[in-house]
């Protein structure tokens, strides 16, 4: 497996005075995901929990709906000219009877760590069929519990403390218990790793849970939450207009600008007892 962090020599300037020191950086490497030996996408990610990332990605695309849909995931040996294993290429073998990804989902580009939607042909390509509608989820959570999630997320970010360069996604219960946390240089990858953990552990759909992310709330993160059956997505930063529209359309509670005791609730405030 690749390393999560890397050391580099830097020149640090304090009050105009330069000095040499080592710095710890977040590792970013490409991961190619293949399905049945056929390349599907390449994403720039932080190594670690790669099997979860692949499984979560397939859930978000509507390819996989449970742990039974995936027969196996393995790193591809011989990924380089000399036959060595880079641990940067995964092959997912779907279970018998599971349809392979639609050809329209195949990426002819790499997915950057900042945006998983770049290069999509159209919004229609990502409006996949929802397996577990969340509009009827009866999640009830207090605003005070939601307010406490950012601090709990931050307290569990071990690699961020060393690098300051990672996004985090945390899955919480309605009582605020942290169920799973994943870090990655890409916020969509962090969410895929959480969803993939749940998928491989047979926990889907994630009824009655909350997904907390350390950055902004994009259209894609709303989609990923809904595809996993998560009824509430909270972010410390702003949502996009399209994220709000999709959340309202599908019945997801979307919380943004979650900082301290303040927050903006953009859709389904009833789950927080606010409507």
């Amino acid at each position: 497996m690749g390393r999560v962090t890397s050391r580099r020599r830097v020149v640090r300037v304090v009050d105009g005075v330069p000095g040499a020191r080592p710095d710890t950086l977040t590792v970013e490497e490409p991961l190619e995901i293949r399905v049945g030996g056929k390349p599907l996408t390449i994403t720039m990610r932080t190594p670690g929990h790669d099997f979860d990332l692949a499984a979560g990605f397939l859930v978000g695309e509507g390819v996989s709906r449970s742990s039974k849909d995936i027969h196996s995931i393995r790193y591809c040996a011989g990924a380089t000219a000399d036959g060595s294993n880079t641990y940067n290429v995964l092959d997912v073998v779907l279970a018998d009877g599971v349809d392979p990804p639609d050809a329209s989902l195949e990426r002819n580009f790499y997915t950057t760590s900042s945006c998983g939607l770049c290069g999509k042909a159209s919004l229609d390509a990502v409006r996949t069929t929802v397996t577990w509608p969340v509009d009827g989820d009866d999640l009830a959570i207090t605003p005070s519990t939601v307010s406490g999630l950012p601090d709990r997320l931050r307290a569990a970010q071990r690699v961020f403390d060393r690098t300051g360069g990672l996004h985090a996604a945390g899955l919480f219960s309605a009582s605020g218990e942290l169920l799973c946390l994943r870090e990655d240089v890409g916020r969509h990858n962090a969410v895929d790793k959480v969803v993939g953990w749940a998928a491989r552990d047979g926990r889907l759909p994630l009824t009655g849970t909350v997904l907390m992310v350390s950055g902004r709330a994009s259209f894609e993160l709303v989609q990923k939450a809904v595809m996993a059956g998560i009824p509430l997505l909270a972010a410390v930063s702003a949502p996009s207009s399209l994220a709000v529209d999709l959340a309202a359309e599908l019945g997801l509670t979307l919380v943004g600008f979650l900082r301290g005791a303040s927050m903006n609730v953009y859709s389904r405030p009833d789950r927080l007892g606010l409507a």
Side-chain angles (χ1 to χ4, degrees):
M1 282 292 298
R3 294 177 297 170
V4 176
T5 61
S6 180
R7 300 281 279 179
R8 295 289 190 277
R9 182 184 180 276
V10 300
V11 175
R12 179 169 174 79
V13 180
V14 179
D15 295 329
V17 180
R21 54 162 286 182
D23 192 28
T24 302
L25 305 177
T26 300
V27 170
E28 182 177 26
E29 293 182 356
L31 178 69
E32 179 180 324
I33 299 175
R34 301 175 181 175
V35 176
K38 186 176 182 180
L40 177 64
T41 189
I42 298 176
T43 184
M44 300 302 295
R45 99 308 189 187
T46 301
H49 304 289
D50 289 337
F51 288 11
D52 289 346
L53 192 162
F57 178 83
L58 292 178
V59 170
E61 297 292 352
V63 176
S64 172
R65 293 170 176 81
S66 77
S67 58
K68 296 180 181 179
D69 288 341
I70 294 178
H71 177 270
S72 63
I73 306 175
R74 65 179 181 87
Y75 288 106
C76 296
T80 62
D82 63 2
S84 63
N85 195 332
T86 63
Y87 295 98
N88 285 334
V89 181
L90 282 181
D91 189 28
V92 181
V93 177
L94 299 176
D96 292 341
V98 178
D99 293 332
D102 188 273
S104 65
L105 294 179
E106 293 179 10
R107 275 54 166 186
N108 296 315
F109 60 92
Y110 69 88
T111 302
T112 71
S113 57
S114 60
C115 177
L117 289 178
C118 302
K120 290 277 194 177
S122 67
L123 288 179
D124 290 340
V126 295
R127 288 184 180 273
T128 49
T129 302
V130 175
T131 305
W132 303 287
V134 299
D135 57 342
D137 194 303
D138 60 0
L139 169 70
I141 187 169
T142 64
S144 61
T145 299
V146 175
S147 295
L149 299 185
D151 286 343
R152 295 187 181 187
L153 186 75
R154 178 66 181 83
Q157 287 186 256
R158 297 179 180 178
V159 182
F160 182 89
D161 285 337
R162 298 159 59 193
T163 67
L166 284 175
H167 288 285
L171 185 71
F172 291 87
S173 69
S175 63
E177 176 191 2
L178 179 62
L179 305 175
C180 177
L181 178 135
R182 295 289 184 264
E183 294 178 282
D184 198 277
V185 71
R187 59 179 170 270
H188 62 284
N189 288 338
V191 171
D192 279 341
K193 289 178 178 181
V194 168
V195 172
W197 163 81
R200 297 177 67 216
D201 201 41
R203 293 173 177 255
L204 297 183
L206 290 169
T207 305
T209 61
V210 177
L211 180 64
M212 177 75 219
V213 295
S214 61
R216 63 184 180 87
S218 64
F219 173 91
E220 185 185 30
L221 296 193
V222 170
Q223 179 210 5
K224 289 178 181 297
V226 170
M227 291 299 290
I230 300 171
L232 194 157
L233 172 63
V236 298
S237 193
S240 67
S241 63
L242 201 56
V244 173
D245 290 345
L246 185 64
E249 175 186 334
L250 298 180
L252 174 87
T253 299
L254 180 59
V255 176
F257 291 108
L258 179 53
R259 300 167 185 177
S262 67
M263 68 187 79
N264 290 348
V265 184
Y266 294 89
S267 57
R268 291 296 303 271
D270 55 293
R271 292 193 174 106
L272 281 74
L274 301 175

